[in-house]
């Protein structure tokens, strides 16, 4: 299938974020090119896959779209364990969802795969009149924490594919240079024990 | 169109469903049949589903079987009396002849329930056998109405979440997705969130309550079914604030799978596939989001009669039915595809239940309870550790 020199990689990607920020809508837009006003609320998590081509490589995303209700967060490690990438979603019209997004970033930085590519998505960018979170604030936060940031709209499709393409491009396995330009790597001590719980 | 509950109302409703079935089943051409094209059609409970011609035929057989079972139940009622199925408890004070008839009834009932409770018997049979009727009888008649009118305009985190989920619960269903449907579902869920503040509202219950409404026909009965389900039928820690019971169930299930389907368990472990990735939703929605509606309700027939062990048997069966296919998967996506292809097309409940009960072997609620007890400390420790780790993270984060 793939001609020699081509790379085909699988990348596990997880979407995290507060309830009703539009995680499922972003996935539906990316995977099927659709938007529906009301789609079933996600329980546990839903799985999707979609392939994107970047230069001479193809990346098959294995996407886990998680449930947002607080009590479901205890299940999250099962979905982000071993993930190559994460999209942390907040709703630009909802300040609390931005605060929640920051907590997810902290958790992933501490518990997730150290090479994880993280994107911060400020969704519902079509609802400009109701904006509560300034783009600059999110941009600054993202830069300080080694994420890349985009405002998206699952409704109008703005920047949705772009987030996934950008992630694909930044996946370490597609990178020649160890430190890809534009991506601030988080410098963290060796305490990021992954997965296995061994502390006493 | 909903909420009557009288006999004529029921049969009208049934007729209209049958009518819908006839007009909505497309007759694909031979070419389409060859191409194995999928068509959209309405199932027994008004849900739009996708399937091929075989699925349509299977569903018609299911409808026919339901009609047959209905005749059997009518005949039994004529023969043994209206509430014969309640006289199945062998009490020591009864005379021996009565004991015998109770035993016969018990055996008949068990067999009949495995074959499925017909649509118009379901409300009253579930209501009695699950213990909902008894639960309701311990409070004043006006309990539900008083409750709903007392709380309807209160705003809590639970009610906010419920309001968000109403249009996201089986969108497109001809009754559930109407303003009548939404407000009935809202009242049931909100009332329950006040009845049990430990559970409040947990996403997933929206689907469960929605199906209960469809079956029970009156909102109040649906409410009591939800109450007995969460308080007596299921293990009572399933939907609490950190879903600890769900974590426990997943561990118990993983062990069961290793015991009952060792080849599958070993293979999935080898490709690093955690079965909880698919099972969590099954257990939290009691299969309502994964299996076709009548198949789900057949599982619930047994759930309300025998208890939560049926959930484990059914989950095991879904893996078992796909053993050969699962053994050749290499990637997470392949596993999920195999599983979902099966669950979405299990239009024939007997296909699933035969495997669940004849091929898997017995699991009882008692054995499951024992296994759960064993797993609880580890789950509690894990959840606690996670919480402490996160708290310390957030404290450090806030200092910066
Ligand atoms: N205006 C607008 N609404 C959106 C957008 N994305 C999602 N929504 C709506 O927000 C609600 C929650 O979306 P959903 O994808 O279910 O959120 P999730 O809980 O994070 O998966 C739905 O009513 C969507 O229609 C968007 O980009 N713009
Ligand atoms: Mg969702």
């Amino acid at each position: 299938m793939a001609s020699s020199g081509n790379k085909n990689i699988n990348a596990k990607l997880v979407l995290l974020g507060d309830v009703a920020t539009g995680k499922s809508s972003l996935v539906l837009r990316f995977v099927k090119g659709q938007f529906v006003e009301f789609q079933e609320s996600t329980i546990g998590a839903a799985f999707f896959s979609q392939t994107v081509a970047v230069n001479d490589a193809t990346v098959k995303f294995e996407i886990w779209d998680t449930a947002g209700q607080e009590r479901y967060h205890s299940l999250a490690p099962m979905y982000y364990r071993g993930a190559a990438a994460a999209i942390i979603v907040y709703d630009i019209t909802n300040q609390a969802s931005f605060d929640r997004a920051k907590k997810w970033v902290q958790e992933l930085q501490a518990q997730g795969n150290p090479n994880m590519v993280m994107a911060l998505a400020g969704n519902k960018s079509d609802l400009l009149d109701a904006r509560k979170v300034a783009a600059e604030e999110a941009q600054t936060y993202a830069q300080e924490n080694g994420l890349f940031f985009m405002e998206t709209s699952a409704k109008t499709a703005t920047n949705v594919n772009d987030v996934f393409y950008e992630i694909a491009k930044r996946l370490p396995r597609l990178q020649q240079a160890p430190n890809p330009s534009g991506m601030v790597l988080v410098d963290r001590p060796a305490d990021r024990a992954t997965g296995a719980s061994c502390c006493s | 169109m909903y909420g009557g509950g009288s006999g004529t109302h029921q049969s009208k409703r049934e007729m209209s469903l049958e009518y819908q079935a006839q007009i909505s089943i497309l007759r694909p051409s031979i070419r389409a049949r060859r191409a194995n094209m999928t068509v959209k059609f309405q199932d027994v409970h008004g849900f739009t589903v996708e399937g091929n011609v075989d699925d349509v035929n299977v569903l018609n057989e299911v409808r026919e079987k339901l009609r047959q079972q209905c005749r059997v139940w009518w005949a039994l009622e004529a023969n043994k009396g209206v509430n014969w199925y309640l006289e199945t408890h062998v009490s020591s004070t009864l005379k021996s002849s009565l004991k015998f008839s109770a035993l016969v009834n018990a055996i008949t009932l068990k067999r009949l329930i495995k074959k499925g409770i017909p649509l118009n018997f379901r409300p009253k049979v579930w209501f009695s056998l699950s213990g909902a009727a008894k639960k309701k009888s311990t409070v004043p008649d006006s309990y539900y109405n008083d409750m709903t009118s007392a709380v309807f305009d209160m705003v809590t985190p639970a009610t906010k979440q419920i309001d968000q989920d109403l249009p996201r619960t089986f969108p497109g269903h001809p009754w559930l997705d109407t303003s009548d449907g939404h407000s009935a579902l809202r009242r049931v869920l909100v009332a329950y969130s006040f009845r049990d503040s430990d559970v409040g509202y947990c996403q997933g219950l929206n689907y469960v309550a929605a199906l209960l409404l469809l079956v029970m026909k009156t909102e109040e009965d649906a409410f009591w079914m939800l109450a007995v389900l969460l308080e007596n039928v299921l293990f009572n820690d399933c939907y609490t604030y950190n879903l600890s019971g769900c974590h426990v169930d997943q561990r118990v299930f993983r062990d069961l799978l290793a015991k009952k389907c060792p080849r599958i368990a070993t293979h999935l472990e080898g490709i690093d596939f955690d079965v909880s990735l698919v099972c969590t939703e099954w257990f939290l929605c009691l299969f309502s989001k994964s299996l076709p509606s009548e198949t789900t309700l057949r599982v619930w027939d047994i759930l309300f009669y025998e208890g939560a062990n049926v959930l484990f048997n059914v989950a095991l069966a879904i893996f078992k039915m796909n053993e050969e296919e699962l053994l050749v998967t290499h990637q997470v996506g392949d596993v999920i595809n195999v599983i979902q292809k099966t669950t979405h097309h299990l239009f024939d409940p007997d296909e699933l239940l035969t495997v669940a009960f004849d091929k898997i072997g017995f699991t009882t609620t008692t054995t499951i309870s024992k296994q759960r007890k064993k797993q609880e400390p580890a789950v509690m420790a894990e959840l606690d550790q996670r919480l402490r780790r996160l708290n310390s993270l957030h404290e450090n984060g806030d200092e910066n």
Side-chain angles (χ1 to χ4, degrees), chain A residues 20-25 35 37 123-124 126 153-155, chain B residues 168:
Chain A
T21 49
K23 298 176 295 300
S24 301
S25 300
F35 177 79
E37 204 59 43
N123 192 40
K124 309 199 185 178
D126 55 293
S153 168
K155 189 167 184 171
Chain B
R168 306 203 290 164

Side-chain angles (χ1 to χ4, degrees), chain A residues 1 4 12 15 32 62 77-78 90 116 119 122 134 136 146 149-150 156-157 164 170 172 178 192 196:
Chain A
M1 275 202 310
S4 64
K12 178 173 172 183
L15 283 101
K32 297 200 179 138
E62 297 175 335
M78 169 163 90
Y90 69 92
M116 188 187 281
E136 298 72 35
F149 167 68
M150 278 187 191
T156 64
F164 288 89
R170 290 172 187 238
R192 6 164 93 188

Side-chain angles (χ1 to χ4, degrees), chain B residues 136-382:
Chain B
K136 183 184 174 190
S137 72
T138 60
V139 296
D141 274 350
S142 58
Y143 179 95
Y144 179 73
N145 284 333
D146 294 348
M147 180 93 153
T148 46
S149 47
V151 303
F152 86 100
D153 58 353
M154 292 191 186
V155 179
T156 65
T159 65
K160 282 189 205 157
Q161 186 63 59
I162 290 166
D163 286 330
Q164 235 164 22
D165 283 341
L166 293 175
R168 306 203 290 164
T169 308
F170 298 125
H173 185 275
W175 181 73
L176 288 170
D177 198 5
T178 62
S179 61
D180 281 358
H182 290 177
S183 36
L185 182 59
R186 183 179 198 282
R187 280 188 298 268
V188 171
L189 290 171
V190 168
Y192 195 79
S193 78
F194 282 92
R195 177 179 166 94
D196 184 347
S197 52
D198 280 346
V199 170
Y201 169 67
C202 178
Q203 286 189 307
L205 294 180
N206 51 328
Y207 299 102
V208 173
L211 271 195
L212 286 173
L213 273 168
L214 279 186
V215 171
M216 299 307 291
K217 306 224 161 53
T218 77
E219 214 180 287
E220 186 170 359
D221 288 356
F223 170 82
W224 287 110
M225 286 304 295
L226 186 64
V228 82
L229 182 67
L230 299 186
E231 292 158 20
N232 307 91
V233 177
L234 299 174
F235 301 102
N236 60 12
D237 52 1
C238 291
Y239 297 94
T240 49
Y241 74 99
N242 60 2
L243 296 182
S244 62
C246 176
H247 287 266
V248 175
D249 282 340
Q250 294 308 316
R251 281 167 178 253
V252 172
F253 181 72
R254 230 173 285 150
D255 285 356
L256 264 178
L257 188 74
K259 209 168 115 201
K260 303 269 184 181
C261 311
R263 291 169 72 211
I264 299 177
T266 312
H267 178 77
L268 294 182
E269 210 173 298
I271 63 167
D272 208 15
F273 185 90
D274 180 348
V275 291
S276 310
L277 293 171
V278 287
C279 298
T280 308
E281 186 201 85
W282 295 349
F283 282 79
L284 286 169
C285 300
L286 311 176
F287 297 103
S288 62
K289 229 167 133 4
S290 324
L291 294 174
S293 61
E294 179 57 21
T295 308
T296 303
L297 297 179
R298 286 283 300 277
V299 174
W300 291 14
D301 283 343
I302 306 170
L303 174 69
F304 289 125
Y305 181 59
E306 281 190 14
N309 59 316
V310 58
L311 301 176
F312 291 83
N313 270 63
V314 169
L316 286 168
I318 294 172
F319 282 96
K320 186 79 187 167
M321 293 168 86
N322 291 294
E323 180 149 15
E324 297 312 319
E325 270 187 276
L326 285 172
L327 290 178
V328 295
T329 53
H330 296 294
Q331 291 175 5
V332 174
D334 304 338
V335 180
I336 307 249
N337 285 342
V338 169
I339 298 279
Q340 285 188 346
K341 213 175 68 210
T342 305
T343 50
H344 292 166
H345 289 99
L346 268 171
F347 292 107
D348 178 7
D350 293 314
E351 193 187 338
L352 174 66
L353 296 176
T354 311
V355 180
F357 294 99
D358 301 347
K359 299 226 174 100
I360 296 290
F362 224 51
T363 59
T364 64
T365 307
T366 332
T367 36
I368 302 280
S369 292
K370 262 193 217 145
Q371 293 304 316
R372 288 184 105 258
K373 280 260 148 36
K374 255 206 245 166
Q375 299 287 358
E376 266 167 24
V379 167
M380 292 308 169
E382 190 185 278

Side-chain angles (χ1 to χ4, degrees), chain A residues 22-35:
Chain A
K23 298 176 295 300
S24 301
S25 300
L26 286 170
V27 176
L28 187 70
R29 174 60 81 187
F30 174 57
V31 173
K32 297 200 179 138
Q34 296 169 352
F35 177 79

Side-chain angles (χ1 to χ4, degrees), chain A residues 131-154:
Chain A
R131 177 192 288 280
K132 291 279 157 47
V133 184
E136 298 72 35
E137 188 189 348
Q139 177 69 58
T140 309
Y141 173 81
Q143 236 154 24
E144 285 169 4
N145 287 276
L147 288 78
F148 75 90
F149 167 68
M150 278 187 191
E151 287 199 341
T152 57
S153 168

